[in-house]
Amino acid sequence: MTKLRDPITYEATLLEVARLIGWDNVGAICGGVSSRHARRWSDHDCQTQIRAIDCERLDRAYVDAGGDHFPFHRLMGLRNEVATAVLTVDACMVRAAQTTAREGGDAVAALLEVSANPTPQNIREARKEGHELIDAMTDALAGLDRLEAGKSQEEARRA
């Protein structure tokens, strides 16, 4: 019985490559491992996994054998897109707010220290904390711009 493999996984991608170039070639390209060992990499229940360098080698072999894309490269891109999609704009804004609040507190504390003890080192520290606050707020404003642009793009799709 053939095991089902989830899409967007290394196991499914390896199976796609092996269908084109064969398990013996997969093993040879991956450092001379046996085809049986290479097949184990396509089993999600197996504890061993394919190495990144072998994914690169198999991508080249796949294209050399007539494939129309680099399957592992595509897999990694898709996995990154999925991971990025999970990170919502709301989560980004929460993180921006947290960073801005922390940097604001640090800047205020540094200014209070300067008011009590205006040494050159304390002045430098207050400037540094002020710049970090400005950077954090700039990032937060950029997030608001992205949020606003995203909503207007969604509204344009509905129209």
Side-chain angles (χ1 to χ4, degrees):
M1 181 175 179
T2 303
K3 284 189 173 188
L4 295 177
R5 287 161 180 87
D6 291 331
I8 314 177
T9 63
Y10 287 90
E11 295 84 4
T13 304
L14 180 58
L15 189 59
E16 174 189 352
V17 171
R19 283 187 186 127
L20 180 65
I21 69 172
W23 286 109
D24 288 336
N25 286 331
V26 168
I29 290 166
C30 295
V33 301
S34 69
S35 61
R36 178 181 164 100
H37 185 81
R39 281 179 196 263
R40 292 186 70 213
W41 291 333
S42 72
D43 182 351
H44 60 273
D45 292 328
C46 183
Q47 295 299 315
T48 63
Q49 294 180 332
I50 190 167
R51 300 178 311 167
I53 188 70
D54 293 329
C55 292
E56 292 177 22
R57 292 173 180 150
L58 290 173
D59 270 354
R60 287 189 296 272
Y62 184 85
V63 170
D64 290 346
D68 62 350
H69 65 285
F70 294 109
F72 284 102
H73 180 76
R74 178 183 285 177
L75 168 71
M76 290 177 204
L78 287 171
R79 289 174 68 97
N80 284 331
E81 286 177 27
V82 169
T84 303
V86 171
L87 182 63
T88 65
V89 173
D90 292 339
C92 291
M93 292 310 302
V94 167
R95 193 174 312 135
Q98 290 170 332
T99 302
T100 302
R102 183 181 61 246
E103 295 300 342
D106 291 347
V108 169
L111 288 172
L112 290 172
E113 182 63 30
V114 164
S115 68
N117 187 15
T119 67
Q121 181 178 350
N122 286 346
I123 292 170
R124 276 193 303 278
E125 182 66 19
R127 285 184 192 278
K128 177 180 101 40
E129 294 299 339
H131 285 290
E132 289 175 3
L133 172 59
I134 291 168
D135 290 343
M137 197 62 217
T138 301
D139 291 345
L141 291 171
L144 290 173
D145 291 344
R146 283 192 303 275
L147 181 62
E148 186 176 53
K151 283 188 177 178
S152 64
Q153 288 173 359
E154 185 177 317
E155 292 167 357
R157 275 187 240 128
R158 285 189 221 147

